[in-house]
Amino acid sequence: MSAVAPRVRFSPAPTGYLHLGGARTALFNWMFARHEGGTFVLRIEDTDAALSRDELVDGIQRTLRWLGIDWDEGPHRQSQRADAYRAAASRLFAAGHAYFCDCSRDAVQARTTGESGYDGWCRDRGLAAGVLRFRAPDDGQTVVHDVVRGEVTFEHTTIEDFVVQRTDGSAVFLLANAVDDADMAITHVIRGEDLLPSTPKVLLIRRALGVDEVPVFAHLPLIVNEKRQKLSKRRDDVAVEEFRERGYLPEAMRNHLALLGWSPGDDREVMSIEDMVAEFELADVKASPAYFDVKKLDAINGEYIRALPVATFVRESLPWLETDPPWPPERFDLAVFEAVAPLVQERARTLAEVPATVDFLFLEEPVVDPVAWDKAIGRSPMAGALVDDAITAYRDCHWDTDELYRVTAEMAERHGLKLAKAQAPIRVAVTGRSVGPPLFESLHVLGRERTLERLQRARDCVPPSSS
RNA sequence: GGCCCCAUCGUCUAGUGGCCUAGGACACCACCCUCUCAAGGUGGCGACACGGGUUCGAAUCCCGUUGGGGCUGCCA
């Protein structure tokens, strides 16, 4: 491609959080830059005063870092480059490429034709104030060369005289975008497909400003919801921060995002970021929209969780165990959690699932799943006898996993039951649930005393007739 | 309405004219393993939107139709 190292930018509007589409766009820009040995620029598009708040920008940076996406330049703030945009606007006006317009919103509406929008009524009125509109060419066409979409042609007759500067003198994103990409020598514009229709306008501005170079464009397919619509804040869960809070690992998030619209070309899916960077090519990006499937994210996240060193898993789980836990905080015992961590790790798809898997260890009394209780104890004719036997056997046996297994298996045999059946009431009595970590390890960690207490309590609840 | 984009299993995708009776992954189902649940293993279900071309040959190229989507703001 180009002899010079590419320069790309991720230029989000600060809306208070980083959404999935933005994260994917950032990731693709970043992977491209790293693959090509180029420069990744972070630029905040906050020309709208309402968006120009520091905390909104901080959130984006924090989330990008969480995802492992770092930048080489910036963050540049468009809110701080007003002078450059004003100068550019003046040049457009002076050269006759733009004119002022004082049409009200209603007037513009009235003058909007089906084919090409605003009809340019103010073009020759010689106004000196108002919004500044770009004088779109009346004929000809602009061709956008797009790496993922090929050549896209826009007839100039379909491009209206669009606004480049607001009444208050601030630049609209089209202008700011054109000026910044030129000033920052951006070579590849990689962004969402929703920006494709605005591309000829930006190109027109650049040309009017005397910029000859044209960046390479790559319009990425949209990420859509189950109804195949562009993800929106209102109706969809789109904040990356929220996925973080739901217990997803950044590596899994990043991996899944990378697979939306791109693949390495073979059967690999779960792969390291290094491998993704090594394989990433803009030309391999697909053109069709992709649905963000949380089920698949869950599966990928589970794989990443299982691949963690146990100590890392414990550390990553801590926020979920210490912040607003389902048990009294003082009852939590890190050593106990560490003892069962490998068993929990094997089963968790998200870190958020961890507390409920181990809550029986830290609660005075376990959370009882009524359906499980009813099935394993309430309506089980053998439950009373099994629990009685367990109490007897567990009172005197060696308190270790193998021994617990052995005496329980013996007990099952005495009753002519499979161990799977025989352990059910014990599990529910002690953990409150029918599913969970392996039972005998759980009992071992819980301790004899508390195990017996819970079994006795369950025994007291069993109707006499059932024993 | 106008302009533009898109179209392979339910989903994410491989496929760039013959290797395709279309491969993988997630999800789902069955079986195996097994103290529950997971994990793992095996197998199953399941797609080239439709119609015309081009070609010896089309999921792959072209045209049309249909369907979906994006844009159409003094938001970006």
Side-chain angles (χ1 to χ4, degrees):
Chain A
M1 206 171 283
S2 51
V4 286
R7 288 174 58 80
V8 299
R9 44 61 167 189
F10 171 54
S11 48
T15 53
Y17 62 94
L18 182 64
H19 70 85
L20 294 174
R24 202 274 309 260
T25 298
L27 179 61
F28 279 33
N29 271 285
W30 181 86
M31 289 197 293
F32 175 74
R34 293 294 170 261
H35 178 83
E36 302 285 335
T39 302
F40 180 57
V41 179
L42 177 60
R43 185 174 78 212
I44 307 299
E45 308 226 326
D46 56 352
T47 57
D48 187 327
L51 300 178
S52 183
R53 291 196 281 132
D54 290 344
E55 63 270 27
L56 301 183
V57 178
D58 291 344
I60 289 173
Q61 297 186 75
R62 198 179 322 118
T63 307
L64 285 174
R65 288 200 194 94
W66 178 70
L67 284 170
I69 297 173
D70 58 345
W71 50 96
D72 308 304
E73 270 184 34
H76 297 298
R77 298 277 294 266
Q78 290 191 327
S79 57
Q80 292 171 347
R81 290 184 34 84
D83 291 348
Y85 310 140
R86 236 187 305 273
S90 298
R91 282 168 55 207
L92 290 176
F93 178 72
H97 288 300
Y99 60 89
F100 285 103
C101 165
D102 65 358
C103 291
S104 66
R105 195 184 183 82
D106 289 345
V108 171
Q109 192 70 269
R111 296 193 164 280
T112 293
T113 64
E115 196 186 343
S116 62
Y118 178 69
D119 68 359
W121 192 63
C122 292
R123 275 189 173 192
D124 303 308
R125 292 177 64 209
L127 267 25
V131 294
L132 191 66
R133 285 183 184 278
F134 188 85
R135 187 188 296 265
D138 297 324
D139 51 34
Q141 49 192 207
T142 288
V143 179
V144 176
H145 298 274
D146 191 289
V147 182
V148 339
R149 273 147 232 286
E151 290 191 356
V152 184
T153 303
F154 294 88
E155 294 294 334
H156 290 162
T157 53
T158 67
I159 299 176
E160 80 284 5
D161 286 354
F162 52 90
V163 174
V164 293
Q165 188 184 56
R166 303 184 184 97
T167 306
D168 67 3
S170 65
V172 156
F173 107 100
L174 289 166
L175 211 214
N177 196 277
V179 170
D180 282 351
D181 281 350
D183 285 359
M184 297 174 189
I186 299 303
T187 61
H188 295 68
V189 174
I190 304 168
R191 34 133 68 154
E193 185 197 346
D194 50 340
L195 272 331
L196 185 54
S198 73
T199 306
K201 296 176 181 176
V202 171
L203 253 16
L204 250 16
I205 295 173
R206 289 175 66 110
R207 212 170 302 152
L209 250 18
V211 178
D212 293 327
E213 308 78 50
V214 174
V216 172
F217 287 96
H219 284 93
L220 310 177
L222 257 22
I223 297 180
V224 299
N225 62 22
E226 59 288 339
K227 287 158 77 179
R228 305 249 112 211
Q229 298 164 316
K230 180 169 90 163
L231 253 27
S232 86
K233 182 180 187 177
R234 273 199 63 123
R235 59 184 175 231
D236 307 301
D237 291 333
V238 295
V240 174
E241 288 86 335
E242 194 178 300
F243 284 89
R244 177 183 190 171
E245 287 162 13
R246 283 207 259 152
Y248 293 98
L249 262 26
E251 296 81 3
M253 202 66 200
R254 180 170 73 194
N255 198 146
H256 186 234
L257 247 14
L259 262 14
L260 261 29
W262 176 80
S263 90
D266 50 37
D267 290 340
R268 281 177 295 170
E269 288 200 328
V270 174
M271 56 195 292
S272 71
I273 190 65
E274 290 78 15
D275 287 348
M276 291 195 288
V277 167
E279 300 292 336
F280 189 81
E281 300 281 353
L282 270 187
D284 294 334
V285 175
K286 272 180 59 96
S288 47
Y291 169 60
F292 187 88
D293 188 356
V294 179
K295 286 267 184 58
K296 181 127 181 175
L297 208 213
D298 284 341
I300 293 174
N301 204 56
E303 276 204 53
Y304 274 95
I305 285 179
R306 272 174 262 130
L308 254 26
V310 179
T312 307
F313 171 71
V314 169
R315 194 181 65 234
E316 295 296 322
S317 297
L318 248 29
W320 277 267
L321 299 168
E322 294 175 339
T323 308
D324 196 25
W327 49 77
E330 67 276 9
R331 290 185 65 94
F332 179 69
D333 183 337
L334 182 57
V336 168
F337 177 67
E338 283 175 329
V340 295
L343 306 173
V344 176
Q345 181 176 9
E346 180 81 7
R347 290 160 175 75
R349 291 165 83 78
T350 69
L351 295 175
E353 294 172 1
V354 172
T357 310
V358 298
D359 61 358
F360 70 94
L361 292 169
F362 306 119
L363 250 13
E364 174 65 41
E365 291 186 43
V367 175
V368 174
D369 170 1
V371 175
W373 181 280
D374 187 51
K375 185 174 181 209
I377 297 174
R379 287 191 292 115
S380 168
M382 304 287 287
L386 285 166
V387 172
D388 277 341
D389 268 24
I391 291 171
T392 304
Y394 294 172
R395 193 145 43 204
D396 302 315
C397 75
H398 274 300
W399 200 256
D400 65 57
T401 303
D402 289 344
E403 189 65 1
L404 285 164
Y405 176 98
R406 199 181 61 73
V407 301
T408 311
E410 274 179 11
M411 195 179 96
E413 206 172 329
R414 276 203 304 281
H415 289 273
L417 294 173
K418 293 208 169 195
L419 184 50
K421 282 283 183 196
Q423 59 92 46
I426 300 169
R427 173 183 294 281
V428 175
V430 176
T431 73
R433 297 189 171 87
S434 59
V435 302
L439 183 61
F440 306 114
E441 279 89 343
S442 298
L443 299 183
H444 179 227
V445 173
L446 219 212
R448 192 197 307 267
E449 193 181 336
R450 294 167 70 196
T451 297
L452 291 174
E453 272 171 23
R454 292 179 186 188
L455 286 171
Q456 189 55 55
R457 217 169 306 158
R459 186 65 191 85
D460 296 342
C461 295
V462 180
S465 62
S466 73
S467 57

